[in-house]
Amino acid sequence: MIKVLFFAQLRESLGCNELAIDLASDQRFNSVTTLEQLREALAKTDENWQLSLANGKLLMAVNQTIVDGSQAVKDGDEVAFFPPVTGG
Amino acid sequence: MNEMISVQAQDFDMATEYQALRNDNNTDHNSSDGAVVTFVGLVRDYNQGNHVSGLTLEHYPGMTEKALEDIVVSAREKWSLGKVRIIHRIGQLNLSEQIVFVGVTSKHREAAFDAAQFIMDFLKNNAPFWKKENTDIGTRWVEAEDKDKIAQKKWQR
């Protein structure tokens, strides 16, 4: 299983803050090996997910470190998608 | 190392934090630090063209602390620092409330000034916090600003 988290305006537009996905057994995700492929597979959920995840400014993290789409995703990982940060 | 990082809903007291930076049990080290630089960020009344009455701060629990720790590690690689303290608040904050505290000590002022600035510039771009403002036209998520990216880039020379 992987855990997928969404934050801020992305969380609101998706109406979802967390997903648990079994990469191996879920047909929609069983060919996913990278973060970009995970994003593409999630975008196929429906038009809203397609639109929300198409935002080129979105940041992605694996195991709480910001990485790019080529990062491998494997069982046990915590993945997160979120907009540019605005703290401070 | 004296890393003190807090992500919390409750307010903080500047005087208490300053005292903690000045005197600690590590007396040997403390008497060698001649500089304390502190920064406090507040909720401003006007942002991106609209009046603001307050905001809500969302964060990514776990990653936030890790991101702040990484920033402090990077700062310590660039400068010789004594203590570093970061407090960032989360949840509902009203106008003029304190959002963030950064405190740095060092032997001389240059390192403390620079490191405090560096920590804020990196916090603005790398720490997973998001502000949702209450404005005169309703609530809205704050957009990340290019000037924050530019401020961070100046340290990459």
Side-chain angles (χ1 to χ4, degrees):
Chain A
M1 292 290 268
I2 62 165
K3 184 155 92 168
V4 186
L5 304 170
F6 306 98
F7 291 96
Q9 49 273 63
L10 180 63
R11 170 180 57 73
E12 284 186 351
S13 69
L14 297 176
C16 175
N17 55 12
E18 182 173 341
L19 284 177
I21 299 172
D22 190 344
L23 288 178
S25 73
D26 191 326
Q27 287 214 336
R28 288 172 59 208
F29 298 99
N30 60 13
S31 65
V32 168
T33 59
T34 68
L35 196 49
E36 187 52 38
Q37 289 166 355
L38 176 65
R39 192 220 284 246
E40 285 162 12
L42 287 167
K44 288 180 183 150
T45 306
D46 63 24
E47 249 180 67
N48 180 36
W49 282 65
Q50 177 86 50
L51 197 66
S52 300
L53 290 170
N55 180 350
K57 286 184 176 173
L58 284 186
L59 299 175
M60 303 181 278
V62 172
N63 299 327
Q64 305 190 346
T65 299
I66 293 175
V67 289
D68 66 30
S70 66
Q71 173 75 32
V73 175
K74 56 186 190 313
D75 200 41
D77 281 347
E78 177 179 300
V79 177
F81 295 89
F82 47 81
V85 303
T86 57
Chain B
M1 290 272 196
N2 279 294
E3 256 52 285
M4 300 180 289
I5 290 168
S6 306
V7 177
Q8 62 188 47
Q10 67 264 35
D11 201 5
F12 53 84
D13 178 57
M14 180 71 178
T16 307
E17 297 305 328
Y18 171 66
Q19 276 307 325
L21 288 167
R22 273 189 70 188
N23 50 35
D24 214 311
N25 28 25
N26 191 354
T27 48
D28 281 351
H29 180 85
N30 237 58
S31 47
S32 73
D33 275 350
V36 180
V37 167
T38 61
F39 169 80
V40 176
L42 307 174
V43 179
R44 204 174 49 235
D45 66 348
Y46 201 78
N47 191 39
Q48 297 174 349
N50 293 95
H51 289 285
V52 175
S53 58
L55 56 81
T56 307
L57 261 155
E58 178 170 331
H59 78 302
Y60 179 172
M63 181 174 167
T64 316
E65 292 81 353
K66 185 173 178 292
L68 294 175
E69 279 161 21
D70 289 348
I71 292 167
V72 176
V73 167
S74 301
R76 286 190 183 282
E77 283 168 5
K78 289 177 86 76
W79 298 280
S80 176
L81 305 174
K83 297 195 191 72
V84 178
R85 173 80 165 127
I86 303 177
I87 306 172
H88 202 297
R89 294 180 67 201
I90 50 173
Q92 180 70 47
L93 297 177
N94 296 319
L95 206 59
S96 313
E97 276 201 73
Q98 305 185 115
I99 303 173
V100 60
F101 175 90
V102 171
V104 179
T105 75
S106 63
K107 285 190 174 57
H108 304 286
R109 71 181 183 283
E110 292 84 356
F113 270 125
D114 285 351
Q117 179 96 306
F118 174 94
I119 288 168
M120 276 308 300
D121 287 343
F122 276 72
L123 183 156
K124 280 273 183 184
N125 288 287
N126 293 5
F129 292 101
W130 301 272
K131 287 186 189 129
K132 191 179 196 179
E133 290 175 335
N134 308 317
T135 76
D136 48 5
I137 54 160
T139 64
R140 65 168 181 208
W141 290 97
V142 173
E143 291 292 324
E145 296 194 58
D146 289 341
K147 72 176 178 68
D148 292 328
K149 274 264 167 283
I150 294 162
Q152 184 184 29
K153 284 214 173 77
K154 73 173 180 267
W155 298 106
Q156 286 160 1
R157 286 191 298 236

